[in-house]
Amino acid sequence: MAELPKNYEPSAIEPRWYAEWTARGYFHADAQAPKAPFAIVIPPPNVTGSLHMGHALGTTIEDIFTRWRRMAAYNAMWLPGTDHAGIATQMVVERELKAKEGKTRHDLGRDEFVKRIWEWRGRTGDRILEQLKTMGSSLDWERTTFTMEPQYSAAVIEAFVRLYEEGLIYRAKRLINWCPQDRTALSDLEVDYDEGVQGELYEFAYPLADGSGELIVATTRPETMLGDTAVAVHPDDPRHKSKIGKMLDHPFVDRQIPVIADPILVDPKFGTGAVKVTPAHDPNDFETGLRHQLPMISIFDEAGIVNAQGGEFAGLDRFKARKAVKARLAELRLERGSKPHVHAVGHCQRCETVVEPMLSTQWFVKMEPLAKPAIEAVEQGKTKFVPESWSKTFFHWMNNIRDWCISRQLWWGHRIPAWYCGQCQDMTIARTTPNFCGHCGAPADKLQQDDDVLDTWFSSWLWPFATLGWPNETRELKTFYPTTVLDTGYDILFFWVARMLMAGLHFMKKVPFRTVYLHTMVTDEKGNKMSKVKGNTIDPVDVIKEHGADSLRFALAWLTTHAAQGKNIKFSIGNVEDARRFANKIWNSANFVKLNLEGYDADRFADRIADGPDNAELDLPERWILSRVQRVSEEVDTALEEYRIADAAQTAYHFVWNELCDWYIELAKAGLKRAGTGPDGASARLKIQGALVTALETSMRLLHPFMPFITEEIWQQLPKPSGAPQSIMITLYPVRDVRFYDDASEASMALVQKIIVAVRAIRTEKKIPGPAKVVALLAVTDDYKKTILEGYKQIIAEQVRCSEVRVRRSGASFSGEFSLEHIATTLAGDVEVMIPLEGLVDPVAETGKLEKDLAKLENDLAYLEKKHANPKFLERAPLEVLDKDRAQMAELRAAIAKIQVALERLQASEKRR
RNA sequence: AGGCGCGUAGCUCAGUGGAAGAGCACUUCCUUGACACGGAAGGGGUCGGCAGUUCAAUCCUGCCCGCGCCUACCA
């Protein structure tokens, strides 16, 4: 058999297998298949997107779950798709239009511009989906969905119309978040608050109209005074009480405004105790305006420029207006000072422009009736959060939910299905373009459709069922809804997860997913958010090119613990390099196995272990490794069931590296050497080869969800019994086979390992070079251990490269066999391990070392004895603890006795000298 | 301001009511036919501080000190 290349080269393997899997249709799940369903829908990346570490993490997690369940014979379906991403996409195309043609979207007009976006999409394709393929994602590509495609759009409109008919969608003039740059409304969630912006609290005076004085107000936004329609004071504030009801002169516009009393808005302890009220540009003032029926005067246009209401300041940008207003107030001697003030300023999530609260007619979803069932569903455990602590955050937001502004003044998106009649002014809501006004019957040409489109999230919240054919009652929905797991970053818990729960319960009457797995954010190694501007990004595409998708995936899986809130995955390329070393280790272990398969017959070995290990006449190392691989399989499977991804990955890693490679392969080398190449050794060879292949093959299946490519490549090359499947993807995931659980062999092997380590430690300590042959003497306390060690002394000798191992009962003397003054001694548990080293052992140093060991053991024993001298402990501690302690004390006493014997021996030889 | 969470080996992080673990880094030795992207043997931690509950606390409770995140309208 050809030797594999020395180092693993992922680039030679990964694309080939992905193509093969796709061609064989392994990723596709048949909705008719008579298997238990397992479904995940991908959080649809933006069409404009390019693969970043966040996608890589989510993809890795989702593919691990999907492959794992697929291998457990579930009907595993992982649904791909992309989001039209309203603002983001429109911005990209607008920028391109500007750069290439020097035009704005208004130059083209709406229809032409939307056409250009579709063209752009056709040109760039779904680049992000192609990138997901390089990750090894086993997505069911036949089900790829785009949120703007006709079928999906119909679902969005259906949802809108139903909610409207149910009275859960309404159109109203409200104070909303407005982005003057993008010139659109934003939902509350789309506003990011910059905490702690250093600003100023500016004070100026409004003169009382009756000339009886003035009222000083404090504000962070002086320019909004152009829209003031009142000044509020606290009704019980003695400083201002007398002014309530009086009028104030506005210095710049021809208007008098009242002094009103409002205990909600005004905190008398803050500022001057008087608050200017601008109902059209501040949420609190808006509420105050409603309470007092104040006029609401908008002073900005949609670009944030002062409008005609601003009198002499009309035409100025908001920030220029601030300076101008302040300057004029100073001129008029109305300025009353200012002090530094730290406050929060809202920015547009997309373009970072300071958001302007504006009075505007928009569409809203009434959220409370939708939130209630979602809260109940989570309370009742119909959907579970992992980690569980996120449910608290969820409840907090859901219990304080506010109506959702869903209209956007964009061109790219699902246009609101509302038509306004030019004849009767009434509004018609319809699933398809109406031919007549629903109210007065006016013909279509009198109808004008609403210009606005829906918030992108209004389409995404339908994702788990709209992708499966809703509103039609499809077989897909029946099979795959509710989906099993939703995996996403915690950053979109409110944007997406909470809203999907609400939509799913409302439209499908069932939760959209059983489990929400919230993963953390990936940051750079210092914990900073990765950003192109900062230049600290790690591009998964580059990482895959250089190190392979398997390494990237394994690195991420290794780091994916149940992360605490507020903690991120600090990622560096070093993590990938570590994973790559692991891939290389696997590769070379497979190489070793393949090089040692002379004459191996997989069918014969399969027959041999068909009834478990007892009838197979296996030796200790084989019984041990086959037992271990089963236990590890159980551990990994359990960890995945509990969403402990890092634990699963690390458990498999440690098995492969530390047990299979470091121990079993070394034991197998010796075993194969012993068996030789002749016919006499055929049976012994078969058992060892079989154990090697079985352990490695099982490891490949265990690791396949984490590292799909390398495991497939190696799996393909391993000999398998006839009738084996064509691909590792369609094998069964390893589940425990308890017949191979072998406590006795594991215990024996643990003892053997302990002794091997002890002998090696002596050799290292005494600086005995490799080839030097030594004899190891073992003194044991009981016959059972003596029997075991007698049986495995050859194995020990092979592993520590000594010429001979002799075992005696403690007390039985080795004297007469070796010169006792030159023996190095150490303990492996309670087994005394001695190596006679003529001329290499300094009796004084050896005495010192042993005394140190003795002191530690005595200290340990004293601790336990003291504990056991406490009657309350004996009375209240559970039996297992007592037993464990007692066993430990027995072992300690035996060990102490051994050291004492060794010390006496040294002293005796000292005397003789 | 409220809520959630974190503080464990030099670094990044697991973990458990019964005298602490991993990866990387570090020290010494080893190119013996799977792998130097390797092997062997090691060093290293009063588990943030103080009190309490308990037979027993790194783990539970309270307070304190540092730090992160989320939500919120303080002019």
Side-chain angles (χ1 to χ4, degrees):
Chain A
M1 198 165 299
E3 193 175 345
L4 292 162
K6 201 165 169 184
N7 285 337
Y8 174 56
E9 265 311 320
S11 57
I13 283 161
E14 296 188 347
R16 199 180 74 225
W17 279 117
Y18 199 85
E20 189 67 37
W21 293 329
T22 312
R24 296 193 201 168
Y26 291 156
F27 299 160
H28 180 60
D30 180 359
Q32 312 272 357
K35 294 193 279 186
F38 177 87
I40 298 183
V41 290
I42 200 172
N46 290 355
V47 274
T48 54
S50 176
L51 191 72
H52 57 58
M53 286 307 302
H55 298 126
L57 176 61
T59 301
T60 297
I61 292 168
E62 290 151 38
D63 199 38
I64 285 170
F65 286 132
T66 304
R67 286 180 183 268
W68 167 59
R69 291 288 82 174
R70 187 185 289 118
M71 286 173 76
Y74 282 78
N75 192 16
M77 191 281 288
W78 182 23
L79 190 144
T82 45
D83 192 299
H84 67 282
I87 298 182
T89 308
Q90 178 164 323
M91 275 167 61
V92 167
V93 177
E94 277 186 293
R95 223 177 289 134
E96 193 185 87
L97 188 65
K98 190 86 196 168
K100 285 192 182 158
E101 300 175 40
K103 289 182 184 165
T104 68
R105 70 179 206 260
H106 301 283
D107 294 333
L108 295 184
R110 182 168 191 150
D111 289 349
E112 179 60 22
F113 180 70
V114 170
K115 212 176 115 196
R116 292 292 184 97
I117 296 182
W118 280 105
E119 278 171 19
W120 170 86
R121 178 168 183 268
R123 239 180 16 250
T124 55
D126 288 325
R127 177 178 52 159
I128 182 102
L129 297 183
E130 292 307 311
Q131 290 171 326
L132 290 179
K133 291 178 184 173
T134 68
M135 289 285 305
S137 322
S138 62
L139 285 154
D140 191 346
W141 296 107
E142 291 172 42
R143 303 185 186 280
T144 305
T145 305
F146 177 48
T147 53
M148 278 295 280
E149 70 195 30
Q151 156 76 29
Y152 199 98
S153 298
V156 172
I157 298 308
E158 179 67 28
F160 182 97
V161 174
R162 284 199 200 177
L163 288 172
Y164 178 80
E165 287 168 350
E166 291 158 356
L168 292 172
I169 281 184
Y170 61 92
R171 189 167 184 248
K173 194 170 191 181
R174 287 276 187 88
L175 197 70
I176 48 88
N177 304 295
W178 182 266
C179 175
Q181 172 71 37
D182 298 334
R183 302 192 189 186
T184 178
L186 302 171
S187 71
D188 295 332
L189 284 175
E190 285 167 298
V191 180
D192 289 335
Y193 285 89
D194 257 9
E195 214 61 45
V197 171
Q198 190 57 249
E200 67 165 353
L201 193 60
Y202 177 86
E203 294 181 0
F204 70 91
Y206 270 117
L208 283 152
D210 60 8
S212 62
E214 63 181 30
L215 191 51
I216 301 170
V217 295
T219 178
T220 52
R221 298 193 57 196
E223 72 280 13
T224 61
M225 61 87 70
L226 297 171
D228 283 358
T229 53
V231 169
V233 298
H234 196 278
D236 303 330
D237 190 335
R239 291 173 296 176
H240 305 305
K241 217 169 175 173
S242 63
K243 300 178 191 124
I244 295 168
K246 290 189 173 181
M247 299 304 283
L248 301 163
D249 278 329
H250 196 290
F252 304 127
V253 293
D254 184 18
R255 182 160 78 227
Q256 288 196 340
I257 61 175
V259 178
I260 59 169
D262 193 289
I264 300 170
L265 180 70
V266 184
D267 170 7
K269 289 190 284 293
F270 187 91
T272 60
V275 186
K276 57 188 276 310
V277 183
T278 321
H281 295 288
D282 181 278
N284 289 316
D285 294 3
F286 176 74
E287 293 300 322
T288 308
L290 289 179
R291 283 197 294 276
H292 297 268
Q293 279 120 41
L294 298 172
M296 302 193 176
I297 301 171
S298 293
I299 58 164
F300 299 120
D301 68 9
E302 58 178 26
I305 309 277
V306 178
N307 62 19
Q309 294 289 344
E312 61 187 278
F313 303 96
L316 291 175
D317 166 80
R318 315 178 263 176
F319 301 105
K320 288 199 179 109
R322 181 174 303 173
K323 281 186 190 147
V325 166
K326 281 166 69 178
R328 286 284 286 131
L329 284 169
E331 269 175 48
L332 296 172
R333 299 180 182 281
L334 292 171
E335 192 176 83
R336 292 294 177 270
S338 93
K339 48 191 143 187
H341 182 66
V342 177
H343 61 128
V345 177
H347 297 264
C348 171
Q349 195 187 41
R350 281 283 147 207
C351 69
E352 295 182 8
T353 302
V354 174
V355 161
E356 187 62 48
M358 295 267 255
L359 204 54
S360 175
T361 300
Q362 301 288 345
W363 291 88
F364 297 87
V365 179
K366 207 178 277 180
M367 296 306 276
E368 255 189 64
L370 295 172
K372 232 181 139 195
I375 292 166
E376 284 165 10
V378 175
E379 279 170 350
Q380 291 162 9
K382 289 176 180 162
T383 292
K384 291 189 170 68
F385 285 93
V386 178
E388 202 278 327
S389 60
W390 283 106
S391 54
K392 279 187 190 167
T393 309
F394 169 82
F395 287 133
H396 182 257
W397 189 72
M398 292 292 275
N399 284 319
N400 295 289
I401 200 159
R402 296 192 294 170
D403 285 356
W404 175 16
C405 175
I406 51 168
S407 42
R408 295 290 178 276
Q409 288 63 54
L410 305 171
W411 288 352
W412 177 239
H414 303 101
R415 197 157 168 183
I416 289 173
W419 286 262
Y420 306 101
C421 178
Q423 195 164 292
C424 72
Q425 315 304 325
D426 227 324
M427 179 174 76
T428 302
I429 300 288
R431 287 169 176 81
T432 53
T433 309
N435 294 320
F436 303 97
C437 170
H439 303 276
C440 70
D445 60 3
K446 297 276 181 204
L447 297 177
Q448 176 71 38
Q449 187 174 4
D450 197 303
D451 281 331
D452 294 352
V453 300
L454 290 161
D455 179 7
T456 297
W457 297 104
F458 190 89
S459 54
S460 333
W461 76 331
L462 312 174
W463 189 250
F465 47 95
T467 49
L468 297 173
W470 187 87
N472 301 315
E473 287 179 23
T474 60
R475 180 68 211 225
E476 269 66 23
L477 275 176
K478 216 174 158 204
T479 303
F480 297 118
Y481 191 95
T483 64
T484 318
V485 185
L486 181 90
D487 162 69
T488 191
Y490 64 75
D491 56 333
I492 52 174
L493 174 59
F494 306 138
F495 272 111
W496 196 45
V497 179
R499 286 168 177 168
M500 278 191 290
L501 264 163
M502 292 187 268
L505 284 161
H506 188 76
F507 294 112
M508 295 293 298
K509 306 296 166 211
K510 278 185 194 165
V511 292
F513 24 72
R514 303 288 182 206
T515 299
V516 176
Y517 182 83
L518 289 166
H519 63 248
T520 57
M521 302 295 110
V522 183
T523 67
D524 74 6
E525 55 194 313
K526 291 181 197 126
N528 298 313
K529 200 175 164 186
M530 286 189 187
S531 86
K532 283 182 186 152
V533 180
K534 279 187 235 162
N536 63 344
T537 51
I538 294 176
D539 186 346
V541 176
D542 295 342
V543 174
I544 291 167
K545 263 186 213 144
E546 195 178 342
H547 300 285
D550 284 335
S551 297
L552 175 60
R553 292 168 60 118
F554 197 78
L556 288 166
W558 181 280
L559 297 167
T560 302
T561 54
H562 275 199
Q565 297 191 13
K567 293 205 105 186
N568 298 316
I569 292 180
K570 292 190 179 105
F571 191 81
S572 79
I573 199 68
N575 298 122
V576 180
E577 288 162 358
D578 294 343
R580 186 179 184 152
R581 271 194 286 280
F582 179 48
N584 196 57
K585 186 74 181 176
I586 296 171
W587 186 252
N588 281 296
S589 68
N591 194 26
F592 171 82
V593 172
K594 289 176 56 187
L595 289 170
N596 287 284
L597 288 177
E598 278 289 312
Y600 178 63
D601 184 333
D603 283 319
R604 262 178 61 208
F605 185 74
D607 287 346
R608 187 154 196 148
I609 60 162
D611 303 322
D614 293 335
N615 301 323
E617 296 172 0
L618 301 175
D619 294 328
L620 177 69
E622 285 68 43
R623 293 189 68 116
W624 169 74
I625 196 69
L626 293 180
S627 177
R628 286 297 306 147
V629 78
Q630 290 307 328
R631 285 205 211 271
V632 167
S633 298
E634 179 174 22
E635 277 179 52
V636 172
D637 197 61
T638 303
L640 286 174
E641 266 169 18
E642 294 169 359
Y643 298 90
R644 291 181 287 114
I645 295 168
D647 280 349
Q650 292 182 21
T651 300
Y653 171 97
H654 284 121
F655 174 74
V656 169
W657 201 311
N658 305 121
E659 299 196 88
L660 180 55
C661 292
D662 290 348
W663 281 103
Y664 186 67
I665 285 183
E666 294 308 316
L667 292 163
K669 280 179 191 169
L672 288 169
K673 196 173 166 194
R674 225 183 296 134
T677 50
D680 296 350
S683 172
R685 277 202 308 278
L686 179 75
K687 289 186 275 189
I688 296 168
Q689 291 168 331
L692 278 170
V693 171
T694 303
L696 184 62
E697 192 270 347
T698 310
S699 301
M700 292 307 95
R701 282 184 288 132
L702 264 183
L703 281 166
H704 181 256
F706 304 89
M707 310 175 94
F709 296 109
I710 189 174
T711 51
E712 174 76 294
E713 177 67 21
I714 289 171
W715 189 88
Q716 291 289 339
Q717 297 184 33
L718 289 175
K720 289 171 283 285
S722 4
Q726 291 299 301
S727 162
I728 194 171
M729 271 196 70
I730 51 172
T731 59
L732 282 176
Y733 199 70
V735 285
R736 62 196 178 135
D737 182 343
V738 292
R739 294 172 312 159
F740 287 88
Y741 279 12
D742 190 338
D743 290 331
S745 295
E746 290 194 35
S748 298
M749 190 63 203
L751 180 63
V752 168
Q753 286 176 313
K754 232 188 243 181
I755 286 162
I756 290 168
V757 168
V759 175
R760 284 172 180 165
I762 292 175
R763 293 189 67 130
T764 302
E765 194 189 325
K766 302 301 174 199
K767 303 197 192 310
I768 306 160
K773 291 286 183 180
V774 293
V775 176
L777 311 175
L778 309 177
V780 297
T781 22
D782 61 77
D783 285 329
Y784 179 66
K785 277 184 186 143
K786 181 164 186 290
T787 312
I788 290 171
L789 293 175
E790 283 288 356
Y792 304 125
K793 60 189 189 184
Q794 186 178 11
I795 287 174
I796 294 168
E798 286 161 350
Q799 295 305 310
V800 300
R801 295 162 187 278
C802 57
S803 51
E804 191 189 351
V805 173
R806 296 188 198 174
V807 187
R808 297 283 187 275
R809 275 297 298 266
S810 295
S813 174
F814 283 103
S815 62
E817 299 173 70
F818 301 96
S819 58
L820 296 173
E821 56 266 43
H822 297 294
I823 284 190
T825 307
T826 192
L827 286 171
D830 61 355
V831 177
E832 194 181 1
V833 178
M834 292 166 285
I835 299 185
L837 293 166
E838 199 70 51
L840 284 172
V841 175
D842 170 13
V844 178
E846 189 66 12
T847 303
K849 180 186 119 21
L850 287 176
E851 276 170 350
K852 209 176 134 197
D853 290 350
L854 182 65
K856 184 175 183 320
L857 293 171
E858 282 175 336
N859 187 43
D860 288 357
L861 182 64
Y863 168 81
L864 287 171
E865 281 174 339
K866 189 182 162 202
K867 202 156 97 171
H868 283 252
N870 181 351
K872 276 188 179 169
F873 171 73
L874 297 176
E875 188 186 313
R876 302 194 187 177
L879 213 61
E880 339 45 293
V881 174
L882 292 174
D883 285 349
K884 203 183 128 205
D885 277 6
R886 279 170 187 148
Q888 204 187 335
M889 287 195 294
E891 185 154 310
L892 282 169
R893 288 192 187 105
I896 286 165
K898 294 269 170 48
I899 296 215
Q900 280 163 345
V901 168
L903 279 168
E904 279 163 26
R905 197 170 56 221
L906 279 165
Q907 278 157 15
S909 64
E910 200 71 0
K911 270 181 204 157
R912 265 204 312 278
R913 197 177 298 191

